[in-house]
Amino acid sequence: MVRLGERICGRESFTAKALGLLPAYNVYRKTYALLRESQRWNREELAAHQAQALARLLDHAYENVPYYRRVFQERGLVPEDIRGPDDLVLLPFLTREDLQANLSDLKARNYPESAFEYVTTGGSTGIPVGFYYEKGVSRAREWAFMKTQWDRVGYRFADRCVVLRGYIVGSAKDGVFWKKTLFGRWLLMSSHHMTEETLPAYIDRIKRFKPRFIQGYPSTAVILARYMREHGIEPFPTVKAVLCGSENLYPWQRDLLEEVFGCRVFSWYGNSEQTVLAGECEESTHYHIFPEYGIVELIGRDGRPVKGPGAMGEVVATNLTNFVCPLIRYRTMDLATAAGGSCSCGRSYPMLERVEGRLQDFIVTGKGELLSGIAMNIDTDAFDNVKQFQFYQEKVGEVILNIVRKPTFSKQDAEYLYREVSRSCGDDVLITIRYVDNIPLTARGKYRYFVQDLPIHFSEREGGIVEHVSPDLLA
């Protein structure tokens, strides 16, 4: 997912990054101006722009990137053979394993070494991935896209924003777990110190800061929201929207956040590799894909494109802007469902109905079907006396539900919770409840509701463990 914000305790601060963008300000300004104009283009104009951008990328990759020169030659192709996005099927997928094994050959030879910024993902799918941004330029361009996206809910650079992401700020010694950044406009709050004891101080500080927006991981914002609901705390009167990204936003999370904060919840989808970016608009909760950013394909288990409203597939994406390290037909290991029709907002962007999540966020049933967390009913009072929970799977058809109990948790709660979760998972999943003292955050400060320890593959060609697949996945 897109990572915007400050990194504290030995990591580069957000303010430092923002200042570092100044030399690339012209890139930001040019990109932002294009997006302000192109969001009004019709489908034909967007398609023409995308085709031209793809042609430039392929010509560049063929001439300057050894990995792609080799791919073209092995397949007997030249860039002119790919006349548009539909012809990308002539090229192979780029997997995370391919990226790591060929990283040096994916660097464009016509850029100086000083232009490369090495970046890694968090490894939430089990495979940490390294790749390159164009130093300064990639982040400046990303800002332009994010600003365009947040414009839809009225965000301005001058607005005050509380940031609840994976940061470690302050310490228990002084009891201050936040820090202002971006010239005092953003209040970064530590996600690692949010407890029953400290949350009253968080809430008091947010009230005094008077933010117009809250930006955060959904799971981090939910910690605050659950506390506020349980203690009858009124919404923050100045907050106009909650901006959620970098994690899947589950329906029960959206409902909770909208109820507690009394405002619109706006979600976007992207990744650190910067191959895909999509976000909701002011009119709907469908994810509008930026065609200026990249080309998105949905691929079925047979490796072929799936199309049409309601079709689910793996997101395969081609970035159109990163020339220092092109990623063409990159397998994201994310599943999404296509949306049909047009949006009343007037933009002619292709849309996703929803993002189902990473493969590692699915449960494998006894029949080998993939059960999405989106389909599970977690928004139930069976979790009222549960402080934290996490689904963990290491055997097909069997799931361990780790829970941290509240002091009020009883035997009756355990029985009720077991019934509700079993009903949600279906007859082909055996549930075991396990009591734990705490559920740790990931290294990037994320809270994972699903931890999958099975070698799941979506493609039949990878010899995945899923022998029987539900009709939804074959659509």
Side-chain angles (χ1 to χ4, degrees):
M1 294 292 181
V2 180
R3 288 181 171 82
L4 297 175
E6 182 166 11
R7 297 183 177 184
I8 309 297
C9 298
R11 292 181 289 178
E12 187 181 6
S13 75
F14 177 83
T15 302
K17 285 182 179 178
L19 292 174
L21 296 182
L22 292 178
Y25 176 71
N26 283 338
V27 173
Y28 165 83
R29 184 171 55 84
K30 182 179 179 180
T31 304
Y32 184 67
L34 167 68
L35 296 174
R36 295 284 290 174
E37 178 183 354
S38 62
Q39 67 179 339
R40 297 189 294 269
W41 290 351
N42 59 36
R43 292 182 187 275
E44 290 73 23
E45 291 171 315
L46 288 169
H49 173 87
Q50 193 174 69
Q52 291 172 1
L54 177 61
R56 288 194 298 270
L57 176 72
L58 295 175
D59 286 342
H60 163 76
Y62 183 79
E63 293 294 333
N64 302 296
V65 182
Y67 175 81
Y68 286 111
R69 170 61 74 101
R70 187 164 65 246
V71 166
F72 272 95
Q73 290 178 340
E74 288 173 352
R75 299 210 163 202
L77 298 171
V78 292
E80 290 75 16
D81 293 324
I82 300 173
R83 292 165 291 180
D86 289 344
D87 292 331
L88 282 172
V89 295
L90 298 173
L91 296 176
F93 297 124
L94 178 71
T95 67
R96 293 171 182 234
E97 293 83 1
D98 293 332
L99 175 54
Q100 293 309 94
N102 298 279
L103 184 57
S104 62
D105 281 347
L106 280 161
K107 296 173 66 176
R109 296 297 190 254
N110 60 329
Y111 282 83
E113 195 62 33
S114 59
F116 293 89
E117 176 187 355
Y118 184 69
V119 184
T120 61
T121 65
S124 60
T125 58
I127 308 173
V129 179
F131 46 92
Y132 293 97
Y133 288 167
E134 184 177 354
K135 188 173 293 183
V137 172
S138 292
R139 295 186 186 277
R141 187 177 287 114
E142 189 81 1
W143 261 108
F145 278 94
M146 291 305 302
K147 177 61 170 65
T148 303
Q149 198 155 239
W150 290 354
D151 283 348
R152 301 170 189 171
V153 287
Y155 176 81
R156 302 163 302 185
F157 276 133
D159 288 330
R160 292 192 171 201
C161 185
V162 163
V163 182
L164 297 170
R165 292 172 68 86
Y167 311 122
I168 303 174
V169 187
S171 67
K173 181 179 179 180
D174 55 18
V176 176
F177 305 115
W178 45 80
K179 179 180 180 180
K180 288 183 179 180
T181 187
L182 200 62
F183 315 108
R185 294 298 183 182
W186 283 20
L187 181 67
L188 271 66
M189 309 194 86
S190 177
S191 61
H192 293 260
H193 298 93
M194 299 177 72
T195 65
E196 291 280 326
E197 294 73 27
T198 63
L199 279 170
Y202 277 73
I203 293 168
D204 177 69
R205 187 68 189 89
I206 293 172
K207 287 179 178 177
R208 290 190 287 115
F209 186 66
K210 298 180 180 179
R212 194 164 185 260
F213 294 93
I214 294 176
Q215 184 211 148
Y217 297 154
S219 62
T220 305
V222 160
I223 295 173
L224 179 64
R226 288 189 72 185
Y227 183 90
M228 291 175 64
R229 183 172 68 177
E230 290 167 4
H231 292 82
I233 298 173
E234 294 294 318
F236 303 114
T238 59
V239 173
K240 303 303 180 185
V242 180
L243 311 175
C244 289
S246 301
E247 290 178 346
N248 211 26
L249 177 65
Y250 296 104
W252 68 269
Q253 292 175 315
R254 184 190 295 275
D255 292 343
L256 173 63
L257 295 175
E258 288 182 346
E259 171 195 339
V260 171
F261 295 121
C263 64
R264 167 72 193 271
V265 173
F266 177 85
S267 178
W268 74 90
Y269 162 61
N271 57 16
S272 296
E273 297 93 320
Q274 294 188 352
T275 58
V276 54
L277 186 62
E280 299 173 1
C281 73
E282 56 273 52
E283 298 290 337
S284 79
T285 57
H286 286 166
Y287 291 84
H288 295 47
I289 301 169
F290 279 106
E292 310 92 338
Y293 192 94
I295 296 169
V296 173
E297 306 170 67
L298 291 183
I299 301 298
R301 293 192 67 239
D302 59 0
R304 297 178 180 178
V306 297
K307 296 182 179 180
M312 182 198 290
E314 181 181 356
V315 175
V316 172
T318 298
N319 176 275
L320 295 173
T321 62
N322 184 359
F323 279 54
V324 300
C325 183
L327 302 181
I328 299 171
R329 301 202 82 202
Y330 180 68
R331 297 192 66 158
T332 66
M333 298 178 67
D334 295 336
L335 299 185
T337 300
S342 57
C343 184
S344 59
C345 72
R347 297 178 184 87
S348 298
Y349 293 168
M351 294 184 293
L352 299 173
E353 182 177 326
R354 59 183 177 271
V355 178
E356 304 287 345
R358 288 183 167 86
L359 280 170
Q360 297 299 321
D361 294 333
F362 283 72
I363 289 173
V364 183
T365 72
K367 292 181 179 179
E369 297 177 345
L370 298 182
L371 177 64
S372 169
I374 286 182
M376 298 177 62
N377 180 26
I378 300 176
D379 186 23
T380 166
D381 58 358
F383 287 86
D384 283 355
N385 287 323
V386 173
K387 186 176 181 181
Q388 291 178 304
F389 67 91
Q390 185 179 75
F391 293 86
Y392 173 75
Q393 184 172 33
E394 58 184 2
K395 295 181 180 179
V396 173
E398 299 181 21
V399 171
I400 296 171
L401 175 57
N402 292 320
I403 68 167
V404 179
R405 294 170 287 183
K406 291 183 179 179
T408 52
F409 191 88
S410 66
K411 180 181 178 181
Q412 289 73 25
D413 288 317
E415 294 172 350
Y416 182 32
L417 182 61
Y418 177 81
R419 290 197 305 271
E420 288 295 296
V421 173
S422 295
R423 183 178 65 177
S424 185
C425 288
D427 297 335
D428 297 318
V429 179
L430 176 65
I431 302 295
T432 299
I433 294 179
R434 180 170 63 188
Y435 303 122
V436 296
D437 294 329
N438 72 298
I439 297 175
L441 300 174
T442 69
R444 292 188 181 270
K446 294 184 177 183
Y447 179 74
R448 295 183 62 189
Y449 293 105
F450 296 89
V451 175
Q452 182 56 261
D453 208 16
L454 292 172
I456 299 180
H457 299 290
F458 188 62
S459 173
E460 293 170 341
R461 300 177 184 181
E462 294 176 297
I465 64 168
V466 184
E467 297 179 356
H468 173 75
V469 182
S470 66
D472 287 343
L473 296 178
L474 295 175

